[in-house]
Amino acid sequence: MKPVNEIHLRFQSHSVNEGFARAAVAAFASQLDPNIEELADLKTAVSESVTNCIVHAYPHSVGEIFLWAGLFADGTVKVRIRDRGVGIPDVRQAMEPLFTTLGGERAGLGFAVMESFCDRVRVHSRVGKGTSVTLVKRIAGRDADA
Amino acid sequence: MSVKISSSPQRLTIALGGELDHHSAAAMRQEADAAIEAKLSPKVRLDFSAVTFMDSAGVGFVLGRYRLVNSYGGRVEVTGLDQRLYRMMRMAGLERLVTLCKKEGKKK
């Protein structure tokens, strides 16, 4: 299925761009007239994914993050967040709740939050090549708010 | 992002405001920890009622403050959580470490 509208963003992995990325996706997805909960779900999931790029994919350098978002006629929004960073050796392990390679103040919840707040999460990763995360969320819209 | 500190002899209150993500957490952490270390209060309240956005960095923030406060035998309570924040805190099992209070003083 082809999207009825799509955007491409490309930005550097500065942590200040976490806020930019989720706000941009939220503004774009507003065309589907989402309710407040759906918008917050989407923002949270995008924030987790972009933070992963910044913290894990490019740990010692500033790299580029590629974000694509598409709106579909059936009311779903898809967001793909891609990096050319270090990659994930074991995706299944990385997606386990509370698993983190960094310790400190990372809760290890990134993928768990994405899965909890989206309808589908797909992750492709190759060590040394990068990671691509696709988030799919169905927007019921403001009418379904009650 | 804002951090407001207030204290009584029995309790230190750290009220967070604005967006809490990995980026803003760094500065919030510094301010909160400076206050915690200065007071060593037996009770530390983290008030989330003015937080407009939070992702899992907020969970990490609570976890980190819990470790610090627990290191001197103090206790942490987290207040002002809406349904979404409460759900994220529960995902990490934080209810076993700190007291979680939803908005409107509803406990649990």
Side-chain angles (χ1 to χ4, degrees):
Chain A
M1 198 171 30
K2 275 187 70 165
V4 293
N5 194 3
E6 53 188 324
I7 56 165
H8 292 268
L9 299 174
R10 179 173 161 174
F11 53 94
Q12 292 190 313
S13 63
H14 299 295
S15 64
V16 69
N17 286 334
E18 291 155 12
F20 162 73
R22 64 176 178 261
V25 171
F28 178 62
S30 292
Q31 294 169 27
L32 291 178
D33 203 22
N35 63 44
I36 290 167
E37 279 303 303
E38 290 166 338
L39 213 50
D41 286 352
L42 193 61
K43 282 173 78 172
T44 309
V46 169
S47 194
E48 297 293 349
S49 181
V50 170
T51 300
N52 276 350
C53 297
I54 290 163
V55 174
H56 295 285
Y58 302 115
H60 308 298
S61 61
V62 173
E64 280 192 308
I65 299 171
F66 304 86
L67 187 152
W68 167 87
L71 306 180
F72 293 83
D74 65 351
T76 56
V77 53
K78 262 190 209 180
V79 185
R80 185 168 302 128
I81 294 120
R82 196 164 57 78
D83 64 69
R84 291 186 182 142
V86 299
I88 304 170
D90 185 339
V91 170
R92 190 176 297 184
Q93 183 188 44
M95 291 182 79
E96 277 170 23
L98 308 186
F99 176 83
T100 177
T101 51
L102 286 179
E105 303 228 331
R106 302 300 304 155
L109 279 185
F111 282 119
V113 166
M114 287 181 235
E115 288 185 317
S116 168
F117 292 149
C118 293
D119 295 301
R120 251 171 87 192
V121 178
R122 264 176 308 179
V123 182
H124 292 286
S125 193
R126 282 174 68 192
V127 172
K129 295 280 183 192
T131 301
S132 156
V133 173
T134 307
L135 309 168
V136 181
K137 182 151 185 78
R138 193 170 301 271
I139 303 295
R142 237 171 272 186
D143 299 339
D145 219 356
Chain B
M1 185 286 281
S2 72
V3 180
K4 283 186 196 144
I5 313 273
S6 59
S7 69
S8 69
Q10 277 306 300
R11 183 195 287 142
L12 173 71
T13 300
I14 301 170
L16 308 171
E19 306 208 325
L20 208 182
D21 62 9
H22 155 258
H23 176 72
S24 65
M28 286 178 161
R29 195 156 58 224
Q30 270 194 341
E31 279 195 58
D33 287 0
I36 291 168
E37 283 164 353
K39 297 281 180 198
L40 298 180
S41 187
K43 275 190 189 165
V44 175
R45 173 180 286 177
L46 303 176
D47 181 2
F48 277 72
S49 48
V51 169
T52 55
F53 171 85
M54 184 193 103
D55 62 18
S56 68
V59 176
F61 179 88
V62 173
L63 210 52
R65 308 299 66 72
Y66 160 76
R67 288 195 190 114
L68 177 59
V69 173
N70 189 55
S71 71
Y72 66 80
R75 295 179 66 178
V76 173
E77 63 173 16
V78 183
T79 61
L81 296 172
D82 66 20
Q83 197 56 44
R84 157 185 314 280
L85 302 192
Y86 182 73
R87 189 165 139 207
M88 271 192 270
M89 303 271 174
R90 290 278 306 234
M91 270 186 192
L94 278 179
E95 77 279 7
R96 287 174 306 199
L97 306 176
V98 303
T99 308
L100 298 180
C101 303
K102 288 195 210 171
K103 264 181 184 157
E104 292 139 9
K106 240 170 96 186
K107 212 168 169 181
K108 208 176 166 353

